[in-house]
């Protein structure tokens, strides 16, 4: 990601913070280049297990070319898809965790890999998010692919 692209994305993300300028300064000072940001203001996050999240991201890439922001954490065992605010409060899906108003998430500086948290799709700085309806459709298609793969691995049982 170019320097100006990362700065635009960082400014957009920092806009979710109670004090965006302090957030940007902390990002620069932190040796890990991470910060905590509140969900529910500019975005919510739907957190999928990696076994479903990766195939879902593959489907989204085929459908839209460039999906909204996606974070991976803890060895990519979970993926966080950034969606419009309010989505977390309405989401009903087994095995899907949500981060909405009242929750905070660890966010690395755009374009940086930091320890166990990294961007799979870096925010573009314009506010583009993942469409919840399209994300749900991609999750269903990905779940079907995962189920087929598991069935085939078991010899079709």
């Amino acid at each position: 990601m170019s320097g100006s692209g990362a700065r635009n994305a960082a400014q957009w993300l920092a806009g979710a913070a109670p004090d965006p300028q302090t957030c940007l300064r902390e990002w620069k000072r932190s040796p890990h280049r991470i910060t905590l940001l509140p969900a529910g203001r500019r975005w919510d996050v739907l957190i999928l297990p990696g076994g479903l999240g990766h195939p879902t991201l593959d489907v989204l890439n085929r459908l839209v070319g460039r999906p909204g922001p996606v974070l991976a954490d803890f060895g990519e065992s979970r993926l966080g898809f950034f969606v419009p605010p309010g989505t977390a409060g309405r989401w009903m899906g087994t095995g899907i965790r949500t981060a909405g108003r009242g929750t905070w998430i660890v966010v690395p500086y755009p374009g940086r890999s930091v320890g166990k948290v990294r961007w799979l799709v870096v925010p573009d700085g314009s506010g583009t998010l993942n469409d919840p309806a399209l994300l749900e459709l991609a999750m269903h298609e990905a779940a079907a692919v995962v189920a087929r793969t598991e069935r085939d691995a078991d010899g079709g049982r």
Side-chain angles (χ1 to χ4, degrees):
M1 170 171 255
S2 72
S4 64
R7 277 191 302 278
N8 289 342
Q11 288 174 344
W12 176 76
L13 285 164
D19 182 350
Q21 292 308 311
T22 298
C23 174
L24 289 168
R25 279 193 302 273
E26 287 175 3
W27 247 332
K28 288 181 182 179
R29 284 189 214 145
S30 165
H32 301 294
R33 304 280 270 180
I34 60 172
T35 192
L36 283 173
L37 289 175
R41 292 181 69 184
R42 287 204 165 179
W43 33 260
D44 285 355
V45 182
L46 299 181
I47 304 162
L48 283 62
L52 177 61
H54 284 285
T56 297
L57 182 55
D58 291 344
V59 172
L60 279 177
N61 279 323
R62 285 195 315 269
L63 293 173
V64 297
R66 188 187 192 287
V70 180
L71 274 178
D73 70 349
F74 305 110
E76 297 191 21
S77 64
R78 291 185 294 239
L79 275 63
F81 291 79
F82 283 53
V83 293
T87 303
R90 296 185 306 271
W91 194 265
M92 297 184 59
T94 304
I96 309 302
R97 295 175 49 202
T98 62
R101 188 164 295 283
T103 60
W104 294 70
I105 64 165
V106 174
V107 179
Y109 190 84
R112 301 286 171 119
S113 291
V114 183
K116 296 183 177 184
V117 181
R118 72 184 187 98
W119 290 104
L120 295 180
V121 180
V122 179
D124 64 10
S126 73
T128 300
L129 297 168
N130 291 291
D131 177 279
L134 193 56
L135 180 58
E136 183 176 15
L137 177 68
M139 287 169 51
H140 286 290
E141 184 174 329
V145 168
V146 169
R148 253 191 323 272
T149 302
E150 288 174 356
R151 184 187 64 228
D152 292 348
D154 285 343
R157 289 181 228 163

